Amino acid sequence: MRLALLEMRRAKLRFGLLAGAVSLLIFLVLFLSTLSGALIESFTGAIKNLDANVLVYSDTARDNIQGSRLNPTIVAQVATVPGVAAAGGIATTTTSAVLPDGKGDLALFGFTPGQPGAPSGLTDGRLPSAANETAVDAPGATIGSTMTLLPSNIELQVVGILTGAQFNAAPTAYVDLPSYQAAIKATNPNAPFIPLNAVAVATDAGSDPATVAQTITDTVPGTTGYTVSTAVSKIPGVASVSQTFGILVGLTFIISIVVIGFFFLILTVQKLRVFTLLRASGASPARLAGSVVFQITAVVVLASAIAVLLVWGALKGASSGIPVSLDPALVVVTVLAVWLFSLGAGLLSIRRIRSIDPATAAGAR
């Protein structure tokens, strides 16, 4: 360790530049991972965080809740399927509204209080239980504030604040089904009935949601059942966004490992004469390899600390409109992965050290 520290003190610029380069690469991994996670959550949170195990769409929906149309009588049919503990209707639309921060688009969800399909992620207040009450995931919303649906001019009072409950990256409001139906009826007075978009299902304890979903598909005509995770993965755009960011993060991670591995390999080759003399004076390969391991660890720790500060600053200054926060678990996993793979890359250096023949010390110049 003393040998490693002495070398790092004498080559501050070299190791400083390496730590800076690695910190930028780790910053990119953390920032892209955080941004992609927040973006996907803003697209899928309304479905992903529903209080349900299974979602049922019409069989003509093409795996998209917005393309699904179900007669409200379907709820009673789904409730009789073996393995179903309870079922509740869900309806959704996108409308214009006067929001707390100005006029804009609003994703409106209707659900049956007390039944599957209620949103989760409540951080303040309560879920709606009466006409024209709403729980929202929208910038600027507070308990007691109001939203006005357009063009019906129906006013909704905010009684609950949600997080992680947006749909299609838009402000999202949840009301009970009668309030939702009244809002749709106000703009479509001649509609014979207001269709549901999905049926949310809570399965019996011990039942496999995938099996229950398949049973619903097989026994309830005109429907297709999905586990919630499957329904989320099929939301349009989610797969492409995940794949794109996954490639970017993966390439950045690989570059980080390659940079660290080649740096220490080149450094080891440059110091072969010194290592040969140390071997001849009795230093074991394990001790010399330990100095490389210590230097890799020191560089990764320093670079990670710098990267976390950079990500924190970047997220503080971001104004994307999407709630973004740095997940400590992501930081720990990323740093550990970089460290472990860097040690793996450092094995090239350690292998070179082990191959040194102390007998060549006499000719070392």
Side-chain angles (χ1 to χ4, degrees):
M1 184 181 297
R2 273 194 307 184
L3 178 65
L5 283 172
L6 180 62
E7 181 183 5
M8 293 178 75
R9 288 196 193 101
R10 289 180 174 178
K12 293 186 181 72
L13 180 60
R14 179 187 297 173
F15 283 93
L17 289 175
L18 175 64
V22 175
S23 68
L24 290 176
L25 293 170
I26 295 176
F27 162 77
L28 285 175
V29 172
L30 291 175
F31 186 74
L32 290 174
S33 298
T34 301
L35 191 62
S36 65
L39 183 61
I40 292 172
E41 184 76 10
S42 71
F43 271 96
T44 66
I47 305 299
K48 178 181 177 181
N49 297 318
L50 281 178
D51 180 21
N53 305 111
V54 171
L55 289 175
V56 181
Y57 299 166
S58 64
D59 59 4
T60 58
R62 296 185 178 181
D63 307 325
N64 183 3
I65 189 172
Q66 292 177 305
S68 177
R69 296 293 184 272
L70 293 169
N71 192 298
T73 58
I74 288 289
V75 177
Q77 297 179 49
V78 171
T80 63
V81 174
V84 175
I90 299 175
T92 183
T93 189
T94 300
T95 184
S96 295
V98 179
L99 307 172
D101 60 351
K103 185 178 177 181
D105 290 334
L106 176 71
L108 184 66
F109 276 77
F111 70 99
T112 304
Q115 296 297 326
S120 60
L122 191 68
T123 59
D124 192 15
R126 59 180 175 82
L127 294 179
S129 57
N132 298 336
E133 292 182 341
T134 183
V136 302
D137 186 344
T142 57
I143 300 297
S145 61
T146 59
M147 295 182 172
T148 303
L149 303 180
L150 300 175
S152 63
N153 290 321
I154 293 176
E155 197 171 85
L156 303 176
Q157 183 178 18
V158 177
V159 298
I161 303 297
L162 301 163
T163 58
Q166 287 190 354
F167 187 64
N168 284 343
T172 305
Y174 295 81
V175 298
D176 62 10
L177 267 178
S179 297
Y180 175 90
Q181 292 164 346
I184 300 300
K185 197 75 173 176
T187 56
N188 299 275
N190 296 322
F193 69 93
I194 309 301
L196 299 175
N197 292 88
V199 178
V201 172
T203 58
D204 289 328
S207 296
D208 177 27
T211 302
V212 173
Q214 186 60 51
T215 302
I216 293 171
T217 302
D218 295 338
T219 59
V220 181
T223 66
T224 301
Y226 306 83
T227 62
V228 170
S229 59
T230 300
V232 168
S233 68
K234 292 181 178 294
I235 293 175
V238 170
S240 58
V241 170
S242 298
Q243 184 178 25
T244 300
F245 275 97
I247 292 172
L248 291 174
V249 171
L251 287 175
T252 305
F253 184 82
I254 291 171
I255 291 171
S256 303
I257 305 308
V258 171
V259 167
I260 296 174
F262 272 99
F263 174 86
F264 282 102
L265 179 60
I266 293 170
L267 192 64
T268 302
V269 171
Q270 292 176 341
K271 297 188 302 182
L272 278 179
R273 183 180 62 180
V274 175
F275 282 147
T276 301
L277 291 172
L278 289 172
R279 286 292 311 278
S281 63
S284 67
R287 182 180 176 186
L288 299 180
S291 69
V292 175
V293 171
F294 177 82
Q295 288 174 346
I296 291 175
T297 302
V299 167
V300 171
V301 169
L302 178 59
S304 299
I306 296 172
V308 169
L309 290 175
L310 290 174
V311 173
W312 180 81
L315 295 181
K316 281 289 184 181
S319 57
S320 61
I322 301 173
V324 183
S325 60
L326 185 60
D327 184 4
L330 173 65
V331 174
V332 172
V333 170
T334 301
V335 172
L336 283 176
V338 170
W339 178 63
L340 289 174
F341 279 95
S342 296
L343 288 179
L347 287 176
L348 295 172
S349 301
I350 295 172
R351 183 171 176 270
R352 194 65 183 263
I353 293 172
R354 289 178 60 86
S355 65
I356 294 173
D357 182 4
T360 63
R365 291 178 291 143

